[in-house]
Amino acid sequence: MSSATESATAGFLVWRLSMKWRVAVDRAVAPLGLTHAQYALLGSLYGMARSGRQPSQRQLADHTGLEPLYVSKLARALETAGLVGRTRDPNDPRAMRLSLTEQGHDVTRRAVKVVQGLLDQMLEPLGGRNSPRAREFTRELAILLEAPLDPHTENDEEQS
């Protein structure tokens, strides 16, 4: 561990790790014509479709943690690129359902393989992706993601 990270807060380390991951994925999927955000949307859509779901843009936004407006923008761009199909939900005319095109399936499968390789590299110091330590790390991350954050801050108290 470097001296810069020894005294760092957990928040700083989470931020640095997320930035490291985002940059690595951006670089890795760029040859496929994708950005990290596009990969997040396509990879999530791919996984959801494999379990028989055709999510709405809103459901995909909830799943990925991306803002619904950003998911809409990404979906339109991916539709223009021929990777995603967008159709109106027959039960809710305001909602758009998303699906991968044949080209989208091909690009996403290749991107998933590349990103899995990155994940293997990242988790190697913990013993590899399937090691007990990596599985525990994944559980800990899930706990942190599920914990609600109170938007209340000290600044709110000062303004009262």
Side-chain angles (χ1 to χ4, degrees):
M1 188 179 289
S2 74
S3 61
T5 58
E6 283 181 14
S7 62
T9 66
F12 178 75
L13 294 174
V14 167
W15 176 73
R16 284 293 312 273
L17 184 59
S18 70
M19 294 304 296
K20 178 181 180 176
W21 181 250
R22 197 191 105 237
V23 168
V25 172
D26 262 335
R27 289 179 180 157
V29 299
L32 297 171
L34 300 175
T35 65
H36 179 264
Q38 290 172 326
Y39 170 76
L41 191 139
L42 290 172
S44 295
L45 188 54
Y46 181 75
M48 294 169 107
R50 289 180 65 185
S51 64
R53 297 168 54 197
Q54 184 182 10
S56 68
Q57 289 181 174
R58 176 57 163 192
Q59 290 167 329
L60 205 51
D62 291 344
H63 179 79
T64 60
L66 296 170
E67 291 294 322
L69 191 59
Y70 190 46
V71 168
S72 177
K73 180 182 172 184
L74 287 171
R76 284 192 305 272
L78 291 167
E79 180 183 40
T80 300
L83 303 177
V84 168
R86 297 169 67 236
T87 56
R88 291 253 174 237
D89 185 326
N91 299 320
D92 182 356
R94 298 168 297 155
M96 296 296 286
R97 295 269 171 201
L98 302 176
S99 60
L100 290 172
T101 64
E102 189 174 322
Q103 181 185 357
H105 273 282
D106 179 54
V107 169
T108 304
R109 272 193 297 272
R110 290 188 291 156
V112 165
K113 188 178 279 189
V114 168
V115 173
Q116 289 298 324
L118 279 176
L119 187 58
D120 287 338
Q121 288 177 42
M122 180 178 277
L123 295 176
E124 187 58 38
L126 300 180
R129 189 175 359 155
N130 296 314
S131 73
R133 196 168 165 204
R135 286 193 300 271
E136 181 59 28
F137 177 64
T138 301
R139 280 191 293 275
E140 302 269 340
L141 289 173
I143 290 168
L144 294 175
L145 279 172
E146 292 172 8
L149 290 178
D150 183 2
H152 176 78
T153 65
E154 284 186 33
N155 290 337
D156 291 341
E157 289 175 6
E158 291 174 7
Q159 293 174 4
S160 298

